[in-house]
Every structure is written in structure tokens, then in C-alpha cells.
Amino acid sequence: MTRIAVYPGTYDPVTRGHIDICERALKVFDHLVIGVADSPSKIPYFSIDERFDMLQTVFASNERISIKPFSGLLIEFARECGADVILRGLRAISDFEYEVQLAGMNRSLASEIETVFLTAAQRYAFVSSSLVREIASLDGDVSEFLHPDTLARLSEKLKNTQ
Ligand code: ADP
């Protein structure tokens, strides 16, 4: 039996925290579907196409990872992917309350799907897409937290919007 997990997120943009979670997940699951959420309520900085492209570049060489955009209910997306696990990453305590609420809600909607949490390496424990964007917009060095392609695209976009 192939174990498929869906890893949903906004990825605005993908960070080394996300990448670290994906690498760890591949030790546990056979295949990972990265679900790029439309997230209109978050008003993402990058369009869904840009976020999708950045993920494609980062994971291009990995046959065990596929990237798919989605906009509807997460559990429906997981079912479409043939996944019985939703993967989420946990950072500090602040993530915990929302994530447990989300997992509980998804369980009540789809009891056959389990939510699994992983934590990233310590050096990425405080990395978030929004902080990385903010630091970069103030000319701070975020190269440690992004894939070189993502870094180049973020720098380019900041240059064009400032
Ligand atoms: P969302 O809008 O769904 O929170 P994100 O792209 O911000 O989308 O995050 C997707 C998932 O990855 C979430 O479960 C988030 O907690 C997790 N995540 C993001 N950054 C990190 C990190 N540095 N370490 C561990 N988990 C992370």
C-alpha cells in the first residue's frame, strides 16, 4: 500500500522550514502532495501561479513529491489525491492552538483522514514566510531561509513593487 500525505499551505513563498518538513515527511510517507492553497483571505504577496512555480523549481528533481494548487475544502482535496493523511508543520506554541482546531475540524468532516504534525530543525523553528518577506523588504539577508531560486524571485518582486 502506498502511503500518500497531503501537505497544504499558502507557501508565500516556500521557505527552508517547509522544505525541511517535506524531507522529514518522505521518511514516513511514500508520496507527498504539496497542496498550494489559493488562500484569498490571506491576500498572498505572490500569486498562486508564482507560488506554484517556486515550489516546482525547489522540488523539481524529486519524483516522490508532486505539487498541486487547490481552492476548495482541504479534506476533499486530500480525498482527490488518494491521501489518508494531512501533514502540518509545528513551530512554536503559537501554531498549536490553531493547528489543533484545524485538525479537530477536519476530523469531524472526514474521520478517515488523520492529521500528522512534524517539527522542523531547530534553525528553522522561527522561520515563517511572512517574516522572511518582511525582513527582505527591509533589505535584511534571508538567504539562509530560502532556496536560491526563491530568493532571486523574492528580490525581483520586491524590486518591482517598491
Ligand atoms: P498556512 O497558510 O496553511 O499556514 P504556510 O505556508 O504558512 O500555510 O504553512 C504551511 C504549513 O507549514 C503549516 O502547517 C505551518 O505551520 C508549517 N510551517 C511553516 N513554516 C514552518 C517552519 N519553519 N517549521 C515548521 N513548520 C512550518
Side-chain angles (χ1 to χ4, degrees):
M1 185 185 135
T2 309
R3 238 4 312 202
I4 303 171
V6 155
Y7 181 29
T10 309
Y11 303 104
D12 190 31
V14 57
T15 68
R16 291 220 181 266
H18 296 120
I19 297 170
D20 188 85
I21 294 286
C22 290
E23 285 165 355
R24 287 169 201 281
L26 288 181
K27 296 182 195 163
V28 185
F29 304 104
D30 300 306
H31 194 88
L32 196 59
V33 180
I34 300 180
V36 192
D38 204 6
S39 301
S41 62
K42 285 198 158 184
I43 317 177
Y45 181 64
F46 288 98
S47 71
I48 190 154
D49 290 343
E50 289 171 325
R51 290 180 276 134
F52 177 86
D53 284 348
M54 287 186 275
L55 281 159
Q56 286 278 32
T57 304
V58 168
F59 293 108
S61 56
N62 200 324
E63 287 172 4
R64 291 172 60 204
I65 295 182
S66 39
I67 327 279
K68 292 185 186 172
F70 78 101
S71 54
L73 260 188
L74 173 57
I75 50 141
E76 292 304 338
F77 175 67
R79 283 176 178 149
E80 279 165 27
C81 295
D84 56 4
V85 169
I86 291 170
L87 171 68
R88 294 286 287 174
L90 277 182
R91 281 162 296 199
I93 317 268
S94 51
D95 277 338
F96 188 78
E97 197 173 334
Y98 172 71
E99 293 293 341
V100 168
Q101 222 180 346
L102 189 68
M105 192 54 91
N106 283 328
R107 174 176 288 157
S108 73
L109 293 170
S111 59
E112 80 281 11
I113 299 177
E114 294 295 339
T115 299
V116 168
F117 297 104
L118 290 176
T119 53
Q122 196 56 34
R123 64 184 179 283
Y124 303 130
F126 299 100
V127 177
S128 71
S129 302
S130 54
L131 255 184
V132 164
R133 281 197 321 269
E134 193 175 330
I135 294 166
S137 75
L138 299 169
D139 284 332
D141 179 8
V142 290
S143 55
E144 199 186 325
F145 309 123
L146 298 176
H147 181 281
D149 171 76
T150 315
L151 180 66
R153 294 203 207 201
L154 176 59
S155 307
E156 188 61 27
K157 188 151 174 121
L158 284 169
K159 215 168 37 179
N160 293 334
T161 50
Q162 269 172 354

